[in-house]
Amino acid sequence: MTTVVVVKKAGQIAIAADTLVTFGDTRLAHRFEDNTKIFKVETDDGPSYIGMAGTVAHFPVLRKAMGSMPREILKLGSKDEVFDTFTKLHPYLKDNFFLQTKEEDSDPYESSQFSVVIANAAGIYGLYSYREVFEFKEFWGIGSGRSFALGAMHAAYAKAKTAREVAEAGIAAGCEFDRNSEMPCDIFTVKAKEQK
């Protein structure tokens, strides 16, 4: 699993992730492979950083799929835009990358099978397997280390000067206490868009 966090504070947006990949009981550390759980996509509104938790197979698939989307439909600047983009992406993932959509017989919708956080100048968002989208006001985390990260970010948020500082605290806690997360981390920041 992993620890991935997004933070919004003091005019800055940050996204960070650990770099450990696990296969059952096997750990593939950053020393042995360039493990990155965050990728960047360019949209008409500027760059967006996408962080993922879930099976390793999702990382190249989502990176390739989003990278091939026409810019006019790749929009990630609001909850509705994130929802619309991933709703359009879902059939493409099924048809071109053979996404298995079934989790349980009682599923209300087809599952996209992943958890994603998005950071861009417009804000920080979370997207879950049934394409439910959340816009976070301060911070959030996904992956197996998220509980540790959320606690650390909650403790650090009021005292920290930047989003980056809060994200670093979250990743450090996730890597310290979650056996499936490990340093070094990747961290990216963007300037938040002015609120009207």
Side-chain angles (χ1 to χ4, degrees), residues 20 22 24-25 27 144 148 174-182:
L20 178 68
T22 56
D25 291 333
R27 297 164 43 92
S144 56
F148 304 114
C175 291
E176 182 69 28
F177 297 106
D178 175 44
R179 68 182 179 149
N180 294 312
S181 299
E182 184 174 288

Side-chain angles (χ1 to χ4, degrees), residues 24 39-40 48 52 56 63 69-70 77-78 110 130 138 156 160 180:
F39 64 93
K40 180 172 134 179
S48 286
M52 294 186 58
V56 176
R63 187 174 55 248
M69 289 181 82
S78 70
E110 287 185 349
Y130 299 123
E138 295 180 350
N180 294 312

Side-chain angles (χ1 to χ4, degrees), residues 65-76:
M66 291 187 81
S68 67
M69 289 181 82
R71 277 188 138 175
E72 61 270 9
I73 63 171
L74 181 59
K75 304 220 179 272
L76 302 168

Side-chain angles (χ1 to χ4, degrees), residues 81-112:
E81 287 182 357
V82 170
F83 176 81
D84 291 344
T85 295
F86 277 86
T87 299
K88 291 171 186 162
L89 185 61
H90 183 77
Y92 184 74
L93 293 171
K94 286 173 41 180
D95 295 343
N96 296 284
F97 295 95
F98 314 106
L99 174 70
Q100 294 294 325
T101 61
K102 192 157 182 86
E103 288 183 8
E104 304 287 333
D105 286 336
S106 61
D107 286 350
Y109 299 97
E110 287 185 349
S111 172
S112 292

Side-chain angles (χ1 to χ4, degrees), residues 1-7 15-18 37-39 49-55 58-59 62 113-119 125-129 132 134 136 139-151 153 170-171 174-175 178 180-181:
M1 290 295 286
T2 191
T3 304
V4 185
V5 301
V6 288
V7 183
I15 184 169
D18 79 292
K37 298 172 184 177
I38 300 171
F39 64 93
Y49 292 91
I50 315 295
M52 294 186 58
T55 181
H58 289 320
F59 294 88
L62 194 58
Q113 304 281 358
F114 48 70
S115 298
V116 171
V117 287
I118 301 166
Y125 307 93
L127 175 98
Y128 292 89
S129 60
E132 57 266 59
F134 299 89
F136 304 111
F139 58 84
W140 196 246
I142 58 172
S144 56
R146 75 183 166 280
S147 296
F148 304 114
L150 289 170
M153 291 188 296
I171 291 298
C175 291
D178 175 44
N180 294 312
S181 299

